[in-house]
C-alpha cells in the first residue's frame, strides 16, 4: 500500500463522515445557545470572584446553564475539581454510606482502582470507608439486562457505567444501549442510583446520559466539555439531591456549593462550553482519519472508520512496544507545544501500570487537544484522542505514519 494514497483516501473518508455529522453539531450548539439565552448570560457572568465566593454569579449561572445543556436538575462545575478522577470520586463517595454497595458494570478506568480501593488497598478509598464493591461483566454492544438485574443485591446503592472505552479494547457504550439498560434497571429497581462516568463522551451524541435516565454523571473539563478553552476543572451533574451530596464532599458538609470562588475568569468555561459541540466534532474527525488510515495500512482499529461512536477515543493495535513508543513520540513532535520533548513510558500517579503519554497541548495534559497515550502492555494498543481542529489531526497523524515508514516500523 502506497502511504500517500492511503493518506488521501483516509482524508476523503474523514470529509464524508464529517458531512454526515454536521447537523448533530448544529443541534448540540443550539442547545447550548438556548441555555445561555434562558439564563440571560451577560458580560457580568464572565469575570471571576475571590475569597469564599459567596454569591459568585458567574459560577452559579454556569452551573445552571450546564444542568440545562446536560438535561440534569443540577450541576457542580468547578475549577477546583482537579481532574475527572476527583469528579467521579465526589459523585460516588458523596452518595455511598458504609455497608452500601457500588456495582460496576465492566471495569472502572485505571485511576479509579485506587479510588475504589478493592484491588489496590488505598488510604481514604471507598472500600477503606466500609463501602462494598463488586463488578459484573457486560457486553457493551448488547448487555444482558437479566444478568445485571440478577447481580443487584439489597446492599446495591449505585450501579456505575463507563461510557467511554478508556484503556480497554471494547466499544463505547452508545446512548441507545445505555437508555435500554437504565430503563431495564429502573423498572425493577427504581431506587438504585445509576451513575455514568461520562469522560470523553460529552457532545459526541445527541444528548447526555442525564437526559436519558442516568441519575448522576461526572467528567473532566480538560476533555470534551471544556472545548479546549477551560484551563482545568471537573463537573458532576444529575438529580439535585445527589449533586448536593457530591458538593458536600467537595467543600464540607453543610457548606456544599455555596463556596469555592471562581478564581479564574468564568469566560473560559462559558466560551469552552459554547465551542465544545464543534471542537468535539473536530476531535471525532481526527479519530475517523486515524481509523481509516490505519485500516488501510492493515492494523486492527476500534472503532472502525464508519462505526457508531459514543466517545472520542480511537484505539489502534500497534503490536510492538517500539512502534507504540515511536507513534506517541511523533504525535508529540507534530504538536503545537513541546514539540521538542520526547515522551517515555513512566509510572504516572494514579496508574498501576507504566503508561506513555503524548500531549503537546496548550492546557497541560488536556486530551481534547490531540493526544495519544497507552499502557505498556500487549498488544500495544495506542489510545488516540482529541484534536482542536481536523487539519492538525491530519498533519500529525499523516506525518507520524510517514516517519514510522521511514524508520522501517510499518
Ligand atoms: C480520563 C478519564 C478518567 C479520569 O479523568 P482524569 O482527568 O484523567 O483524572 C476517568 N474515566 C474515563 C473514562 C476517562 O477517560
Amino acid at each position: 500500500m502506497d502511504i500517500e494514497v492511503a493518506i488521501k483516501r483516509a482524508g476523503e473518508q474523514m470529509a464524508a463522515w464529517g458531512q454526515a455529522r454536521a447537523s448533530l453539531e448544529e443541534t448540540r450548539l443550539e442547545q447550548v445557545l438556548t441555555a445561555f439565552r434562558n439564563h440571560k448570560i451577560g458580560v457580568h457572568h464572565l469575570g471571576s470572584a475571590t475569597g469564599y465566593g459567596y454569591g459568585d454569579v458567574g459560577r452559579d449561572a454556569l452551573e445552571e446553564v450546564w444542568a440545562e445543556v446536560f438535561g440534569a436538575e443540577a450541576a457542580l462545575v468547578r475549577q477546583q475539581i482537579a481532574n475527572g478522577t476527583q469528579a467521579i470520586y465526589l459523585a460516588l463517595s458523596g452518595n455511598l454510606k458504609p455497608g452500601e454497595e457500588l456495582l460496576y458494570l465492566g471495569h472502572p478506568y485505571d485511576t479509579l482502582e485506587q479510588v475504589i480501593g478493592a484491588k489496590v488497598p488505598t488510604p481514604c478509598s471507598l472500600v477503606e470507608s466500609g463501602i462494598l464493591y463488586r463488578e459484573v461483566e457486560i457486553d457493551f454492544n448488547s448487555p444482558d439486562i437479566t444478568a445485571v438485574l440478577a447481580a443487584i443485591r439489597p446492599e446495591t446503592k449505585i450501579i456505575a457505567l463507563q461510557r467511554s472505552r478508556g484503556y480497554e479494547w471494547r466499544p463505547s457504550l452508545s446512548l441507545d444501549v445505555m437508555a435500554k439498560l437504565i430503563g431495564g434497571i429502573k423498572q425493577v429497581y427504581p431506587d438504585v442510583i445509576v451513575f455514568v462516568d461520562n469522560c470523553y463522551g460529552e457532545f459526541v451524541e445527541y444528548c447526555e446520559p442525564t437526559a436519558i435516565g442516568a441519575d448522576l454523571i461526572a467528567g473532566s473539563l480538560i476533555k470534551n466539555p471544556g472545548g479546549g478553552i477551560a484551563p482545568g476543572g471537573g463537573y458532576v451533574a444529575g438529580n439535585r439531591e445527589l449533586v448536593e451530596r457530591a458538593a458536600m464532599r467537595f467543600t464540607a458538609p453543610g457548606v456544599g456549593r455555596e463556596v469555592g470562588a471562581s478564581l479564574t475568569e468564568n469566560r473560559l468555561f462559558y466560551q469552552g462550553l459554547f465551542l465544545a459541540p464543534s471542537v468535539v466534532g473536530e476531535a471525532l474527525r481526527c479519530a475517523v482519519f486515524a481509523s481509516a488510515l490505519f485500516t488501510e495500512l492493515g492494523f486492527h482499529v476500534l472503532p472502525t472508520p464508519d462505526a457508531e461512536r459514543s466517545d472520542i477515543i480511537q484505539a489502534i493495535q500497534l503490536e510492538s512496544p517500539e512502534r507504540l513508543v515511536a507513534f506517541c513520540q511523533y504525535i508529540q513532535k507534530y504538536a503545537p507545544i513541546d514539540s521538542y520533548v520526547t515522551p517515555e513510558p513512566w509510572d504516572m500517579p494514579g496508574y498501576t501500570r507504566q503508561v506513555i503519554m503524548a500531549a503537546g497541548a496548550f492546557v497541560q495534559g488536556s486530551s481534547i487537544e490531540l493526544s495519544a497515550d497507552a499502557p505498556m502492555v500487549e498488544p500495544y494498543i495506542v489510545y488516540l484522542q482529541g484534536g482542536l481542529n481536523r487539519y492538525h489531526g491530519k498533519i500529525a497523524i499523516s506525518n507520524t505514519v510517514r516517519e514510522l515508514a521511514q524508520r522501517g516500523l510499518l
Side-chain angles (χ1 to χ4, degrees):
M1 165 60 64
D2 181 314
I3 282 173
E4 296 308 320
V5 172
I7 289 172
K8 185 161 175 292
R9 282 199 204 154
E12 286 161 4
Q13 272 180 273
M14 171 176 80
W17 188 91
Q19 269 183 354
R21 179 184 164 81
S23 69
L24 190 151
E25 281 161 34
E26 194 175 320
T27 306
R28 294 305 309 263
L29 176 59
E30 200 161 359
Q31 291 169 358
V32 174
L33 277 173
T34 303
F36 275 47
R37 195 167 59 245
N38 287 346
H39 292 91
K40 296 190 165 61
I41 299 308
V43 172
H44 56 292
H45 290 118
L46 304 184
S48 64
T50 54
Y52 289 129
Y54 291 121
D56 184 337
V57 290
R59 176 200 69 200
D60 291 348
L62 178 68
E63 292 185 335
E64 285 179 22
V65 164
W66 204 276
E68 181 174 330
V69 171
F70 280 65
E73 284 176 10
L76 175 74
V77 185
R78 297 300 170 102
Q79 308 170 11
Q80 290 90 349
I81 297 178
N83 56 15
T85 305
Q86 189 190 348
I88 295 164
Y89 169 70
L90 297 173
L92 295 177
S93 67
N95 288 287
L96 285 162
K97 300 190 195 94
E100 293 177 339
E101 182 183 71
L102 169 65
L103 178 65
Y104 234 93
L105 305 190
H107 304 281
Y109 185 77
D110 284 48
T111 60
L112 298 176
E113 293 291 6
Q114 291 182 71
V115 166
I116 294 164
K119 282 180 210 141
V120 191
T122 308
C124 301
S125 66
L126 299 180
V127 165
E128 195 200 61
S129 316
I131 290 153
L132 311 174
Y133 179 72
R134 266 185 315 143
E135 288 175 9
V136 50
E137 295 294 332
I138 67 160
D139 172 347
F140 287 91
N141 280 319
S142 59
D144 176 356
I145 294 177
T146 324
V148 172
L149 293 176
I152 298 174
R153 307 190 295 173
E155 296 83 356
T156 309
K157 177 75 179 298
I158 298 185
I159 294 188
L161 290 167
Q162 181 181 306
R163 179 173 177 185
S164 165
R165 72 203 65 237
Y167 285 145
E168 273 186 78
W169 190 260
R170 59 108 159 153
S172 50
L173 185 58
S174 80
L175 289 187
D176 287 349
V177 172
M178 194 191 293
K180 271 194 217 142
L181 189 57
I182 296 175
I185 294 168
K186 290 284 176 180
Q187 205 174 11
V188 185
Y189 297 101
D191 296 334
V192 166
I193 298 166
V194 177
F195 167 79
V196 178
D197 172 353
N198 204 32
C199 283
Y200 285 137
E202 300 90 353
F203 296 104
V204 175
E205 291 203 64
Y206 51 87
C207 69
E208 299 307 322
T210 24
I212 55 149
D215 299 298
L216 194 62
I217 63 174
S220 162
L221 301 192
I222 61 168
K223 293 180 179 173
N224 307 13
I229 304 287
Y235 76 91
V236 175
N239 299 354
R240 188 170 303 280
E241 194 191 319
L242 306 180
V243 172
E244 294 300 343
R245 290 191 65 99
M248 298 289 175
R249 190 66 85 190
F250 167 61
T251 57
V255 177
R257 288 203 289 156
E258 299 298 317
V259 301
S262 49
L263 301 170
T264 300
E265 54 175 346
N266 281 306
R267 176 183 64 83
L268 302 171
F269 301 90
Y270 284 105
Q271 196 169 355
L273 183 63
F274 171 76
L275 289 173
S278 46
V279 167
V280 168
E282 294 298 301
L284 284 164
R285 284 170 178 79
C286 297
V288 169
F289 178 77
S291 179
L293 181 52
F294 278 84
T295 300
E296 294 269 354
L297 297 172
F299 289 87
H300 292 294
V301 300
L302 196 73
T304 49
D306 46 11
E308 299 268 336
R309 288 169 191 262
S310 197
D311 70 4
I312 62 167
I313 299 182
Q314 181 61 50
I316 308 166
Q317 273 189 32
L318 291 174
E319 287 153 16
S320 90
E322 297 77 31
R323 195 184 286 125
L324 174 59
V325 169
F327 181 99
C328 293
Q329 291 177 344
Y330 291 129
I331 291 293
Q332 180 90 31
K333 177 174 168 184
Y334 292 98
I337 306 299
D338 290 343
S339 56
Y340 54 88
V341 166
T342 307
E344 296 286 353
W346 66 303
D347 297 306
M348 195 171 168
Y351 291 83
T352 51
R353 29 190 195 177
Q354 279 220 324
V355 288
I356 180 164
M357 294 201 165
F362 292 97
V363 172
Q364 197 205 328
S366 164
S367 47
I368 186 61
E369 300 186 46
L370 188 68
S371 47
D373 33 68
M376 294 300 299
V377 290
E378 281 182 357
Y380 302 101
I381 300 166
V382 72
Y383 297 85
L384 179 76
Q385 64 274 315
L388 296 182
N389 70 65
R390 67 194 78 173
Y391 308 107
H392 175 215
K394 189 164 179 244
I395 291 166
I397 296 158
S398 304
N399 283 334
T400 294
V401 163
R402 291 183 183 111
E403 298 234 28
L404 287 173
Q406 267 173 21
R407 269 190 38 201
L409 282 171
L410 276 189

